[in-house]
Amino acid sequence: MLDPIKIIVPCGSLGAGVYEEEVRRGLEMGAHAIATDAGSTDSGAAYLALGVSKNNRASVKRDLAILMKAGAEAGIPVIVGTSGQAGGDKNLDWTRDIALEIAAELGLKPKIALLYSEQDKASLKARNAAGAVKPLAPLGPLDDATIDACDHIVAVLGAEPYVAALEAGADLILGGRTTDTAVLSSFALLKGAPWGPAWHAAKIAECGSQCAVYRTKGAGVLISIDAEGFEVEPLSLENRCDPHSVSAHMLYENANPFLLTEPGGVLDVTAARYAALDARRVRVTGSAWDEKPYTLKLEGAGAGGFQTIMLIGIQDPEVLSRLNEFHDKMLAAMNHRVHTTIGEAAGDFNISLRIYGWNAVSGERLPEGTPAPREVGVMFVATAATQEMATQIAKACNAWFFHFPIVEDDELPSYGFAFTPADIERGAVHEFKLNHVIEIDDPMALVRTVWIDLKKKEAA
Amino acid sequence: MTTVKDVCRHVRSKNAGPYWVTFDLFFDGPESFQKHHANPALGPQLFQRLFGADPALVRHYPVADLNVVKISYARASPQGGVVERDMHCGQQFVRLLDVQLD
């Protein structure tokens, strides 16, 4: 009979705010490991394309310091996946440097495993040519031009590289891009937990206390995995889990509520049952793992044009009463203006006007007669092949954007300028360009493990 | 006339990776769930009309234990791209609230 394997998941994502007292409580409850992811694709492709983190460095350092200290005191491993938001090599190196800084400041000597999952273009092209890369809807087959258009490409790792690093004695693992679930399940898999409950527990805990009743009370949960199932409870005493809060988390950020495809298999929770153990804890049984041929998802990101923006505020009631007309007339006038002033040199450009307070989020046409707001903000977004051209387009439109009259021949109005200079270069538009899986025989084939053993370093 | 917001206690939308968007309609009880979860008004054509989705890439999953219908579709434009207005797709649910069910 397997003794329950207890894992602290201290937050939804490293840098989001770990509570020291929650981690301490998890240790008192007998936790065997601490695991968290440190990013996702959620906030867009820029973080992978640029190799930068979305998070403030001090926030990540603060959270990681709490975890490294707790791990060292209790003698248990700290496992972090998708380092630096996107999990590319640069994102991982950024996180590594923070960890080394913490270790030096706190006098800690962890054995650190770095799991790099960035892929070089030449070998990826070779694997693609050999037929190992398959598209996922809605994209089609991968071509070399798409690979070349990416600034960085990562393989989304599964649990095996983490299991291998733990077996080799890692105190701290900083992973490249990895599924959230693989990061959280790896320790339990190493200890022989059944795969269904281990992966399901990991999915439930991926956002920390989001699977609890109150999403804002505390940040972490403890998962406890045994031979038959798993239990989950929040680390904050003010919070609680109930069967609804836990089962509903399977819906979150997941296109299919019953099946979750992972490297090497599919988690199937169709038959899972959720029961309250007491006022705070939920027990889950019936989770199944369906083994499949081993595949890793690929993520690639690169630039797709450059943007320059401008912003105004409008309170003029005449404009507000005719916003749809205003939008259409202004957009037509500005496109015309670019054609007549810059001409063909503008290349393949795009101007979009987003009326905040009206329909900026949806871009949908609101019905005639929709009551006007008291004021709106209008954002001008020019996209072009180069930053210089995007800015030239903005400058060509400047006078029209800031003074465009709703009634022709009226005195030219001045709308509410927010800034000067008015045009703001916002850099490249970054897009994800891959949605493919790569078939591999060996789960370790696309990962490079680098060790930094601070104990040895000191001895040397 | 019954709309989505009349029979759901909560409706939400979120991206599910860079290429898919997912909606969770939490019906206010088993009766509403049974009555409306398979309503053609919530079918692929709705997502084509509201979001430009390819109807062949709209998925529909009833979750009876939770009185939830999950509907997912493949995005027509890339996340964070030239015309992005809602990176996490967290505001898309609003367009479902007034959809008429009968």
Side-chain angles (χ1 to χ4, degrees), chain A residues 327-383:
Chain A
H327 169 276
D328 295 353
K329 278 186 171 169
M330 190 198 245
L331 185 61
M334 292 195 302
N335 276 304
H336 180 71
R337 175 89 182 143
V338 173
H339 288 303
T340 52
T341 55
I342 304 178
E344 290 196 358
D348 189 13
F349 74 95
N350 176 280
I351 294 173
S352 117
L353 294 174
R354 299 157 191 205
I355 306 184
Y356 283 87
W358 184 243
N359 67 347
V361 177
S362 70
E364 268 194 337
R365 181 52 50 106
L366 297 186
E368 289 300 326
T370 302
R374 197 174 154 269
E375 67 176 46
V376 296
V378 184
M379 188 191 285
F380 165 103
V381 184
T383 310

Side-chain angles (χ1 to χ4, degrees), chain A residues 42 251 253-255 354 360, chain B residues 14 19 70 72 79 84-85:
Chain A
D42 250 22
L251 303 170
E253 293 179 343
N254 186 15
R354 299 157 191 205
Chain B
K14 188 74 172 61
Y19 291 92
K70 177 180 267 299
S72 306
Q79 183 194 22
E84 181 62 78
R85 293 164 179 267

Side-chain angles (χ1 to χ4, degrees), chain A residues 142-158:
Chain A
L142 186 58
D143 55 31
D144 286 357
T146 306
I147 294 175
D148 286 329
C150 294
D151 294 324
H152 296 284
I153 297 172
V154 289
V156 187
L157 299 175

Side-chain angles (χ1 to χ4, degrees), chain A residues 236-306:
Chain A
S236 164
L237 293 176
E238 291 177 13
N239 210 336
R240 61 192 180 84
C241 285
D242 68 21
H244 186 273
S245 75
V246 171
S247 62
H249 191 75
M250 272 311 290
L251 303 170
Y252 192 67
E253 293 179 343
N254 186 15
N256 183 322
F258 300 114
L259 302 177
L260 189 68
T261 302
E262 292 285 342
V266 175
L267 169 66
D268 184 346
V269 304
T270 314
R273 286 291 161 258
Y274 304 79
L277 279 178
D278 54 34
R280 288 171 39 80
R281 293 184 300 159
V282 170
R283 178 162 180 80
V284 184
T285 52
S287 329
W289 176 261
D290 187 7
E291 199 174 327
K292 299 278 186 196
Y294 207 89
T295 58
L296 294 183
K297 204 170 168 187
L298 296 170
E299 288 170 1
F306 293 80

Side-chain angles (χ1 to χ4, degrees), chain B residues 42-55:
Chain B
L42 296 171
Q45 267 63 38
L46 175 73
F47 292 83
Q48 182 178 37
R49 179 166 60 81
L50 292 184
F51 306 105
D54 176 353

